[in-house]
Amino acid sequence: MKSRDIAIVGILLAIGAIIRYMSLLIPGPIVSNLVIAFYSLAIILIAPTFREALGIGVVAGVVCALLSHSIFPPANLISEPIGAVVCLGTYLVLRDRFVLAPAVTTLVATFASGFSFIVISILAVAPTVLGKFGTLEAFLAVTVPIVLITATVNAAVAQALEMPASRALMRGTREKAPGRDARPVDES
């Protein structure tokens, strides 16, 4: 991965981390995860390899696990790499097909991450889930709408930011006008 791509991923994950930190003020069994919107945007902008997308997911998972009040924060270490890989695969299939590819890609990535998080949480801490919510259905009634709403918001964010971010990156790669690097000629 080029240094420029690493910088893009780092900046977008930092923005996602700041927003996630602020979202901790909202109580709930899982945290609405806008980090997904920003790692999806990074994947859409740089089109990494499978391993690089997996790495982006691992870093996002660590960020999300550290900044969480959800029922089982370590589930992020699995759900975010799943979301990142699904994001890459979905975008590679959709990118040249229609203009809403960033939104659909991010929606699918958020579903993959969110629902895998729910399944992992249920499997890992079933007694806590049952103790806190009484039934599995009650837990799902609270968490599934959070995933659905988050997926919708993430899709809108990624779609809205993809075009200006893509244009800004293209502007930065254009050939620069000749500078004042030429040395003055000594005419004496």
Side-chain angles (χ1 to χ4, degrees):
M1 188 181 292
K2 297 182 217 168
S3 298
R4 177 178 172 260
D5 294 345
I6 293 169
I8 291 166
V9 171
I11 290 167
L12 290 172
L13 286 177
I15 293 167
I18 291 166
I19 293 171
R20 183 167 174 95
Y21 180 74
M22 292 186 311
S23 75
L24 292 177
L25 299 172
I26 303 167
I30 64 175
V31 179
S32 117
N33 193 353
L34 284 155
V35 171
I36 300 168
F38 290 98
Y39 74 64
S40 292
L41 183 59
I43 289 169
I44 289 165
L45 291 173
I46 68 168
T49 65
F50 175 85
R51 288 178 59 179
E52 292 166 345
L54 187 61
I56 291 168
V58 168
V59 172
V62 170
V63 167
C64 291
L66 292 174
L67 300 173
S68 182
H69 63 62
S70 65
I71 195 158
F72 187 61
N76 288 295
L77 299 173
I78 299 170
S79 67
E80 299 315 322
I82 290 171
V85 169
V86 167
C87 177
L88 176 65
T90 304
Y91 190 67
L92 291 177
V93 169
L94 299 179
R95 71 175 161 190
D96 296 326
R97 299 188 190 261
F98 63 111
V99 74
L100 294 177
V104 174
T105 297
T106 305
L107 184 81
V108 172
T110 306
F111 286 157
S113 175
F115 291 127
S116 64
F117 182 91
I118 290 172
V119 169
I120 294 162
S121 294
I122 290 169
L123 295 174
V125 291
T128 303
V129 168
L130 294 175
K132 207 170 202 179
F133 295 94
T135 65
L136 184 59
E137 291 79 16
F139 176 69
L140 293 175
V142 172
T143 56
V144 169
I146 294 171
V147 172
L148 297 176
I149 292 166
T150 301
T152 304
V153 170
N154 284 350
V157 167
Q159 186 67 42
L161 294 178
E162 187 272 337
M163 184 65 73
S166 183
R167 285 184 181 161
L169 291 175
M170 291 302 288
R171 191 174 329 138
T173 60
R174 283 192 204 141
E175 199 173 328
K176 295 183 180 179
R180 297 182 182 173
D181 292 338
R183 295 182 183 181
V185 177
D186 185 15
E187 297 180 23
S188 45

